[in-house]
Amino acid sequence: MFENARVLRGATTGRSRVPVGTTVFGTGVGLLIAACFHADSPSSPTDDELIPIFDRSANADLAGARQATARFHSVDAAIAAGYELGYVNGAGVRIITGCIAHPTDGAMGYHYFNKSLIDDLIVDELKPEGLVYAPGPNGSLKLAAVEYVVPGAASNPPGVSEPPSVLGMEMHILVPAVGFYILHAWVWRHNPSGMFADWNPEVICP
Protein backbone atom coordinates (compact mmCIF):
# COMPACT_ATOMS: atom_id res chain seq x y z
CA MET A 1 0.00 0.00 0.00
CA PHE A 2 1.21 3.52 -0.64
CA GLU A 3 -1.39 5.64 1.11
CA ASN A 4 -3.32 7.79 -1.37
CA ALA A 5 -1.27 7.03 -4.47
CA ARG A 6 -2.82 4.55 -6.86
CA VAL A 7 -2.51 3.31 -10.42
CA LEU A 8 -5.42 3.93 -12.73
CA ARG A 9 -5.89 1.80 -15.82
CA GLY A 10 -8.29 2.27 -18.68
CA ALA A 11 -8.73 2.96 -22.35
CA THR A 12 -6.33 5.36 -24.04
CA THR A 13 -7.83 8.83 -24.13
CA GLY A 14 -5.21 10.68 -26.15
CA ARG A 15 -4.54 13.02 -23.22
CA SER A 16 -0.98 13.20 -21.89
CA ARG A 17 1.41 15.12 -19.70
CA VAL A 18 5.08 16.08 -20.35
CA PRO A 19 7.88 17.25 -17.89
CA VAL A 20 11.05 19.08 -18.79
CA GLY A 21 13.59 20.22 -16.21
CA THR A 22 17.24 21.11 -16.30
CA THR A 23 19.43 20.09 -13.44
CA VAL A 24 23.04 19.05 -13.48
CA PHE A 25 23.78 16.32 -10.95
CA GLY A 26 27.26 16.10 -9.46
CA THR A 27 27.88 15.99 -5.75
CA GLY A 28 24.74 18.05 -5.27
CA VAL A 29 21.65 19.19 -7.13
CA GLY A 30 21.83 22.28 -9.31
CA LEU A 31 18.57 23.89 -10.36
CA LEU A 32 19.04 26.00 -13.45
CA ILE A 33 16.56 28.07 -15.43
CA ALA A 34 16.37 27.34 -19.14
CA ALA A 35 14.33 28.75 -21.98
CA CYS A 36 11.39 26.85 -23.37
CA PHE A 37 12.01 25.84 -26.99
CA HIS A 38 9.54 24.55 -29.55
CA ALA A 39 9.91 21.03 -30.88
CA ASP A 40 9.72 19.93 -34.46
CA SER A 41 7.35 17.07 -35.23
CA PRO A 42 9.66 14.10 -35.83
CA SER A 43 8.71 10.92 -37.57
CA SER A 44 7.57 8.40 -34.98
CA PRO A 45 9.86 5.43 -34.34
CA THR A 46 8.24 2.03 -34.42
CA ASP A 47 7.24 0.08 -31.34
CA ASP A 48 9.83 -2.55 -32.24
CA GLU A 49 12.55 0.10 -32.08
CA LEU A 50 11.51 1.45 -28.69
CA ILE A 51 9.53 -1.09 -26.72
CA PRO A 52 11.44 -4.20 -25.61
CA ILE A 53 9.72 -7.52 -25.13
CA PHE A 54 8.67 -7.84 -21.48
CA ASP A 55 5.25 -9.45 -21.49
CA ARG A 56 2.03 -8.76 -23.33
CA SER A 57 0.46 -6.55 -20.63
CA ALA A 58 3.64 -4.50 -20.11
CA ASN A 59 4.01 -3.89 -23.84
CA ALA A 60 0.38 -2.83 -24.06
CA ASP A 61 0.90 -0.31 -21.24
CA LEU A 62 4.00 1.15 -22.92
CA ALA A 63 2.22 1.36 -26.26
CA GLY A 64 -0.69 3.06 -24.50
CA ALA A 65 1.64 5.64 -22.97
CA ARG A 66 3.06 6.38 -26.42
CA GLN A 67 -0.37 6.74 -27.96
CA ALA A 68 -1.57 8.97 -25.12
CA THR A 69 1.39 11.35 -25.51
CA ALA A 70 1.77 11.38 -29.31
CA ARG A 71 0.34 14.87 -29.66
CA PHE A 72 2.95 16.31 -27.33
CA HIS A 73 5.76 16.26 -29.86
CA SER A 74 4.73 19.91 -30.01
CA VAL A 75 5.74 21.78 -26.85
CA ASP A 76 2.93 24.24 -27.59
CA ALA A 77 0.42 21.38 -27.35
CA ALA A 78 1.92 20.31 -24.03
CA ILE A 79 1.67 23.84 -22.64
CA ALA A 80 -1.93 24.11 -23.82
CA ALA A 81 -2.69 20.88 -21.93
CA GLY A 82 -1.32 22.25 -18.66
CA TYR A 83 2.36 21.29 -18.77
CA GLU A 84 5.00 23.89 -17.95
CA LEU A 85 8.75 24.02 -17.58
CA GLY A 86 9.67 22.97 -14.04
CA TYR A 87 7.55 22.64 -10.91
CA VAL A 88 6.49 25.25 -8.35
CA ASN A 89 6.99 23.75 -4.90
CA GLY A 90 5.26 24.53 -1.61
CA ALA A 91 7.61 27.47 -0.99
CA GLY A 92 6.60 29.04 -4.29
CA VAL A 93 9.99 28.28 -5.88
CA ARG A 94 10.10 26.94 -9.43
CA ILE A 95 12.53 24.01 -9.54
CA ILE A 96 13.84 21.59 -12.20
CA THR A 97 13.86 24.16 -14.96
CA GLY A 98 17.05 23.39 -16.89
CA CYS A 99 18.46 20.58 -18.99
CA ILE A 100 19.13 17.79 -16.52
CA ALA A 101 22.40 15.96 -17.07
CA HIS A 102 24.68 13.54 -15.23
CA PRO A 103 28.47 13.97 -15.37
CA THR A 104 29.07 10.42 -16.66
CA ASP A 105 25.76 8.63 -17.37
CA GLY A 106 24.18 10.90 -19.97
CA ALA A 107 21.24 13.23 -19.58
CA MET A 108 17.46 13.45 -19.38
CA GLY A 109 16.68 16.78 -20.99
CA TYR A 110 14.08 19.43 -20.20
CA HIS A 111 11.09 18.54 -18.04
CA TYR A 112 7.62 19.93 -18.53
CA PHE A 113 5.40 19.08 -15.57
CA ASN A 114 1.67 19.18 -15.02
CA LYS A 115 1.45 20.48 -11.46
CA SER A 116 -2.13 19.34 -10.89
CA LEU A 117 -1.20 15.78 -11.86
CA ILE A 118 1.77 15.81 -9.47
CA ASP A 119 -0.15 17.28 -6.57
CA ASP A 120 -3.05 14.82 -6.75
CA LEU A 121 -0.78 11.93 -5.54
CA ILE A 122 -2.27 9.66 -8.22
CA VAL A 123 -0.22 7.91 -10.90
CA ASP A 124 -1.83 6.85 -14.18
CA GLU A 125 0.27 5.36 -16.99
CA LEU A 126 -1.85 7.19 -19.59
CA LYS A 127 -1.42 10.58 -17.88
CA PRO A 128 2.27 11.03 -17.03
CA GLU A 129 3.02 13.95 -14.74
CA GLY A 130 5.99 14.99 -16.85
CA LEU A 131 7.16 15.09 -20.44
CA VAL A 132 10.89 14.93 -21.09
CA TYR A 133 12.29 16.71 -24.15
CA ALA A 134 15.80 16.12 -25.46
CA PRO A 135 17.66 19.05 -27.04
CA GLY A 136 17.64 18.87 -30.82
CA PRO A 137 19.23 20.83 -33.68
CA ASN A 138 19.02 24.63 -33.68
CA GLY A 139 17.52 24.84 -30.19
CA SER A 140 14.57 22.57 -30.92
CA LEU A 141 13.15 20.10 -28.40
CA LYS A 142 12.34 16.48 -29.23
CA LEU A 143 9.91 14.47 -27.10
CA ALA A 144 11.97 11.61 -25.68
CA ALA A 145 10.37 10.19 -22.54
CA VAL A 146 7.49 10.41 -20.15
CA GLU A 147 8.05 10.71 -16.43
CA TYR A 148 5.73 9.59 -13.65
CA VAL A 149 6.03 11.67 -10.48
CA VAL A 150 4.53 11.33 -7.00
CA PRO A 151 5.70 13.56 -4.13
CA GLY A 152 7.30 11.65 -1.26
CA ALA A 153 7.24 12.22 2.47
CA ALA A 154 10.16 14.68 2.26
CA SER A 155 8.80 16.68 -0.69
CA ASN A 156 7.57 20.25 -0.36
CA PRO A 157 4.64 19.85 0.01
CA PRO A 158 4.88 16.29 1.39
CA GLY A 159 3.23 13.34 -0.30
CA VAL A 160 3.20 9.57 0.19
CA SER A 161 5.53 7.58 2.43
CA GLU A 162 5.80 4.39 0.36
CA PRO A 163 6.93 4.06 -3.28
CA PRO A 164 4.07 3.76 -5.78
CA SER A 165 4.31 1.48 -8.82
CA VAL A 166 3.41 2.11 -12.46
CA LEU A 167 3.99 0.14 -15.68
CA GLY A 168 4.89 -2.83 -13.48
CA MET A 169 7.85 -0.94 -11.98
CA GLU A 170 8.35 0.44 -8.49
CA MET A 171 9.07 4.16 -8.50
CA HIS A 172 12.16 5.50 -6.73
CA ILE A 173 13.61 8.70 -5.29
CA LEU A 174 16.56 9.87 -7.38
CA VAL A 175 17.24 13.22 -5.67
CA PRO A 176 16.54 13.21 -1.90
CA ALA A 177 16.67 17.03 -1.81
CA VAL A 178 13.58 17.12 -4.06
CA GLY A 179 11.98 14.00 -2.63
CA PHE A 180 9.86 12.94 -5.62
CA TYR A 181 9.21 9.29 -6.41
CA ILE A 182 9.85 9.06 -10.15
CA LEU A 183 9.94 6.66 -13.08
CA HIS A 184 11.06 7.45 -16.61
CA ALA A 185 9.83 5.54 -19.65
CA TRP A 186 11.77 6.29 -22.84
CA VAL A 187 8.86 5.58 -25.15
CA TRP A 188 9.86 8.15 -27.79
CA ARG A 189 13.64 7.76 -27.96
CA HIS A 190 15.93 4.77 -27.80
CA ASN A 191 17.89 4.48 -24.55
CA PRO A 192 20.79 2.00 -24.57
CA SER A 193 20.69 2.02 -20.77
CA GLY A 194 17.15 0.63 -20.76
CA MET A 195 13.52 1.66 -21.13
CA PHE A 196 13.19 2.73 -17.48
CA ALA A 197 16.69 4.09 -16.87
CA ASP A 198 16.94 7.60 -15.42
CA TRP A 199 19.77 8.68 -17.72
CA ASN A 200 20.14 8.34 -21.48
CA PRO A 201 23.72 8.41 -22.81
CA GLU A 202 22.43 9.49 -26.23
CA VAL A 203 20.94 12.72 -24.82
CA ILE A 204 23.33 15.67 -24.55
CA CYS A 205 22.50 18.95 -22.84
CA PRO A 206 23.79 22.13 -24.50
Side-chain angles (χ1 to χ4, degrees):
M1 298 296 293
F2 43 85
E3 296 182 355
N4 294 326
R6 66 185 186 277
V7 176
L8 302 181
R9 297 180 181 272
T12 301
T13 62
R15 299 177 59 188
S16 317
R17 305 294 182 274
V18 182
V20 177
T22 303
T23 304
V24 177
F25 291 89
T27 57
V29 180
L31 299 174
L32 308 176
I33 297 181
C36 169
F37 301 105
H38 290 192
D40 298 328
S41 296
S43 58
S44 298
T46 66
D47 287 346
D48 288 343
E49 292 174 313
L50 290 171
I51 299 177
I53 302 301
F54 298 121
D55 58 50
R56 184 171 299 176
S57 61
N59 281 349
D61 289 343
L62 287 168
R66 290 188 70 216
Q67 183 177 352
T69 56
R71 66 190 177 106
F72 295 125
H73 287 292
S74 165
V75 177
D76 285 341
I79 292 172
Y83 290 93
E84 57 186 21
L85 184 64
Y87 170 79
V88 178
N89 67 16
V93 176
R94 185 175 295 275
I95 62 173
I96 316 175
T97 55
C99 187
I100 298 180
H102 189 278
T104 59
D105 295 342
M108 298 175 187
Y110 295 92
H111 291 71
Y112 281 76
F113 294 108
N114 187 307
K115 181 173 172 57
S116 64
L117 291 178
I118 292 177
D119 292 347
D120 67 9
L121 304 184
I122 295 170
V123 60
D124 180 346
E125 65 264 23
L126 299 185
K127 297 179 181 179
E129 286 76 12
L131 303 171
V132 181
Y133 292 88
N138 302 316
S140 63
L141 292 180
K142 306 288 186 178
L143 181 59
V146 299
E147 184 175 1
Y148 300 94
V149 181
V150 177
S155 297
N156 182 10
V160 303
S161 58
E162 297 294 332
S165 295
V166 65
L167 296 172
M169 303 291 292
E170 185 175 280
M171 298 170 70
H172 61 280
I173 294 176
L174 179 63
V175 184
V178 177
F180 288 159
Y181 286 106
I182 66 168
L183 182 73
H184 290 86
W186 294 87
V187 295
W188 288 108
R189 179 162 181 162
H190 175 254
N191 186 349
S193 295
M195 173 62 69
F196 301 110
D198 290 314
W199 308 104
N200 189 330
E202 296 184 351
V203 175
I204 300 174
C205 286

